[in-house]
């Protein structure tokens, strides 16, 4: 779909911005009934024809299984973003591992319930607030926020939006920010990736993993070890993994040692627990292990207290006195805690968009699910069936 057509489709919504005002609904969902349950009041034929359809959102109503995320609706009203904010019509949203952890009550950056989930997305600007001079109605933008993107219409700070390249689709834009910012900052800002380096990428077929593989290919002669189930190895090799390793049937530490006795220069660790200690043991002198997740905490749709206890009990610990003679580094990365570092994150996004425009990176999209099938989307990621990014869209289902 062309950018012109996408913007044109938003025109009826844009026109509605001149009709009135409403409060910022960027993060917290309004009181709403489940979609389909609300009984609309009786109205005249003319009024019904003029009334816009209600706006839908995916709301986390409690902690637990897939059923805790519910599709709800609220009455539509003309948007009136506050100073420094803008409102957009959402066209695609990213699903991230943090959303799965949030559903189980394991994500510490989540606002109080009920809350609309979603850290990233893309859409068309339909209204701008006072003081917003670098965005205008009709602009196609991607957004990075703490939560609130899983809805049809959202108001966000303008500073947390980024203009999309002309050739980029809404799906690609919704798949870019969280995964590629994470992979870039781990590899280049922490890892100082250089020609001749070797990298261990855990969960290499996931969103961050696939982003990391593409970024590694922008540097000459980088050896990539990637862990994933055997069924994904061919795809991984096509995308730059030098040595795919099936973590189900093989001890990845032993496999890496056979190929590279000295170990690796960078370990990307989204697992936590005992895997962090294994990663640290694999580091060459001057190597770095960068911890950016705790995927080992998730063993099923609901919180598992035994998995929590086991992961925390096995969590890696090292003292400064131990680090000194080892000539290794242990780093922690959490994109959610960089929400106030607008200039830092914007600089990374600018470099990523340059790589996209040069054809060096392109988000690998696994599947696109309508809001109504959010359970299937979450299950696709939680059961590790995905290769690349899982997306949600307010529109109709697309073939996966």
């Amino acid at each position: 779909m062309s950018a012109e057509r996408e913007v044109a489709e938003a025109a009826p919504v844009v026109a509605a911005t001149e009709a009135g005002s409403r409060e910022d609904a960027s993060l917290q969902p309004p009181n709403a009934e489940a979609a389909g349950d609300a009984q609309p009041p009786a109205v005249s034929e003319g009024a019904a024809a003029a009334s816009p359809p209600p706006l839908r959102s995916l709301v986390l109503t409690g902690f637990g299984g897939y059923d805790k995320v519910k599709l709800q609706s609220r009455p539509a009203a003309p948007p009136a973003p506050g100073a420094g904010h803008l409102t957009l019509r959402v066209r695609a949203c990213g699903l991230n591992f943090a959303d799965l952890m949030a559903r189980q009550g394991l994500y510490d950056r989540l606002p109080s319930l009920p809350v609309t989930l979603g850290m990233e997305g893309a859409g068309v600007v339909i209204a701008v607030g006072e003081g917003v001079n670098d965005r205008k109605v009709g602009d196609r933008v991607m957004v990075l926020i703490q939560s609130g993107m899983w809805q049809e219409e959202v108001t966000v700070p303008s500073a947390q939006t980024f203009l999309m390249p002309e050739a980029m689709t809404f799906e690609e834009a919704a798949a870019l920010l969280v995964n590629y910012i994470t992979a870039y900052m781990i590899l280049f800002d922490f890892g100082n990736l250089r020609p001749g380096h070797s990298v261990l990428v855990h969960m290499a077929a996931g969103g961050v993993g696939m982003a990391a593989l593409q970024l590694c290919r922008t540097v000459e002669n980088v050896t990539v070890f990637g862990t994933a189930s055997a069924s994904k190895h061919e795809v991984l090799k096509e995308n730059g993994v030098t040595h795919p390793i099936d973590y189900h049937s093989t001890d990845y530490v032993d496999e890496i040692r056979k190929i590279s006795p000295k170990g690796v220069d960078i370990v990307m660790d989204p697992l936590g627990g005992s895997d962090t200690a294994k990663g640290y043991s694999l580091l060459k002198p001057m190597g770095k292990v960068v911890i950016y997740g705790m995927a080992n905490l998730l063993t099923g749709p609901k919180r598992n207290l035994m998995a929590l206890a086991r992961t925390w009990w096995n969590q890696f610990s090292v003292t400064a006195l131990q680090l000194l003679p080892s000539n290794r580094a242990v780093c922690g990365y959490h994109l959610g805690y960089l929400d106030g570092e607008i200039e830092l994150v914007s600089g990374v996004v600018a470099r990523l968009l340059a790589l996209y425009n040069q054809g060096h990176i392109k988000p690998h999209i696994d599947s696109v699910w309508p809001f109504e099938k959010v359970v299937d989307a979450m299950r696709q990621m939680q059961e590790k069936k995905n290769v690349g990014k899982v997306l949600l869209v307010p529109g109709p289902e697309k073939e996966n």
Side-chain angles (χ1 to χ4, degrees), residues 101-116:
M101 296 189 74
R103 196 195 69 236
Q104 295 192 14
L106 300 174
Y107 188 69
D108 60 345
R109 299 290 285 170
L110 192 69
S112 57
L113 302 183
V115 63
T116 299

Side-chain angles (χ1 to χ4, degrees), residues 269-294:
D269 176 20
L271 303 174
S274 60
D275 286 288
T276 304
K278 293 179 181 179
Y280 182 78
S281 74
L282 281 170
L283 292 178
K284 293 178 179 179
M286 306 307 295
K288 299 111 180 165
V289 57
V290 185
I291 308 153
Y292 68 98
M294 289 284 167

Side-chain angles (χ1 to χ4, degrees), residues 194-243:
R194 299 199 300 271
H197 271 183
S198 54
V199 183
L200 170 58
V201 182
H202 282 297
M203 298 173 66
V208 175
M210 294 296 284
L213 302 186
Q214 293 183 10
L215 289 168
C216 284
R217 296 176 88 168
T218 67
V219 180
E220 293 181 359
N221 193 30
V222 171
T223 300
V224 179
F225 297 88
T227 65
S229 56
S231 62
K232 301 176 181 179
H233 284 189
E234 285 304 314
V235 175
L236 294 184
K237 286 190 282 188
E238 291 170 4
N239 284 273
V241 171
T242 320
H243 304 288

Side-chain angles (χ1 to χ4, degrees), residues 78-360:
H85 288 63
L86 58 79
T87 302
L88 68 147
R89 189 75 177 186
V90 177
R91 300 297 297 274
C93 323
L95 172 63
N96 291 289
F97 220 81
D99 298 309
L100 302 183
M101 296 189 74
R103 196 195 69 236
Q104 295 192 14
L106 300 174
Y107 188 69
D108 60 345
R109 299 290 285 170
L110 192 69
S112 57
L113 302 183
V115 63
T116 299
L117 295 177
M119 300 171 62
E120 62 183 335
V124 179
V125 176
I126 60 173
V128 296
E130 182 181 354
V132 177
N133 301 314
D134 55 351
R135 301 286 184 270
K136 65 183 184 301
V137 171
D139 280 347
R140 303 188 319 141
V141 297
M142 44 191 167
V143 183
L144 180 68
I145 57 176
Q146 282 292 341
S147 61
M149 283 306 301
W150 291 3
Q151 53 186 318
E152 292 183 310
E153 188 177 294
V154 63
T155 298
V156 299
S158 175
Q160 292 175 243
T161 68
F162 308 90
L163 292 172
M164 293 168 50
E166 185 175 347
M168 182 177 282
T169 67
F170 285 117
E171 286 82 7
E172 288 176 337
L176 183 84
L177 292 178
V178 170
N179 292 164
Y180 281 82
I181 291 173
T182 297
Y184 187 96
M185 297 188 83
I186 289 172
L187 289 171
F188 294 103
D189 292 336
F190 270 138
N192 192 26
L193 182 63
R194 299 199 300 271
H197 271 183
S198 54
V199 183
L200 170 58
V201 182
H202 282 297
M203 298 173 66
V208 175
M210 294 296 284
L213 302 186
Q214 293 183 10
L215 289 168
C216 284
R217 296 176 88 168
T218 67
V219 180
E220 293 181 359
N221 193 30
V222 171
T223 300
V224 179
F225 297 88
T227 65
S229 56
S231 62
K232 301 176 181 179
H233 284 189
E234 285 304 314
V235 175
L236 294 184
K237 286 190 282 188
E238 291 170 4
N239 284 273
V241 171
T242 320
H243 304 288
I245 301 172
D246 182 2
Y247 62 92
H248 292 293
S249 61
T250 306
D251 185 318
Y252 65 85
V253 174
D254 290 342
E255 286 298 304
I256 292 172
R257 287 291 186 194
K258 291 176 186 176
I259 300 166
S260 177
K262 288 188 176 181
V264 297
D265 296 288
I266 302 169
V267 174
M268 296 182 62
D269 176 20
L271 303 174
S274 60
D275 286 288
T276 304
K278 293 179 181 179
Y280 182 78
S281 74
L282 281 170
L283 292 178
K284 293 178 179 179
M286 306 307 295
K288 299 111 180 165
V289 57
V290 185
I291 308 153
Y292 68 98
M294 289 284 167
N296 284 334
L297 293 177
L298 295 188
T299 58
K302 296 183 179 180
R303 184 162 48 188
N304 183 323
L305 295 180
M306 287 298 294
L308 291 175
R310 182 172 59 252
T311 300
W312 286 114
W313 179 259
N314 292 322
Q315 189 57 44
F316 177 70
S317 179
V318 64
T319 67
L321 288 177
Q322 291 170 319
L323 281 174
L324 279 171
S326 72
N327 290 305
R328 300 168 182 169
V330 180
C331 310
Y333 178 85
H334 194 311
L335 180 58
Y337 281 89
L338 293 177
D339 54 336
E341 301 294 335
I342 302 298
E343 185 176 349
L344 173 64
V345 174
S346 296
V348 174
V349 174
R351 292 190 286 276
L352 290 171
L353 292 180
L355 290 171
Y356 176 88
N357 289 328
Q358 294 161 10
H360 294 307

Side-chain angles (χ1 to χ4, degrees), residues 13 33 39 46 65 100 122 265 307 330 385 397:
V13 184
E33 298 182 65
Q39 298 297 320
L100 302 183
D265 296 288
V330 180
K385 296 177 180 178
E397 183 173 7

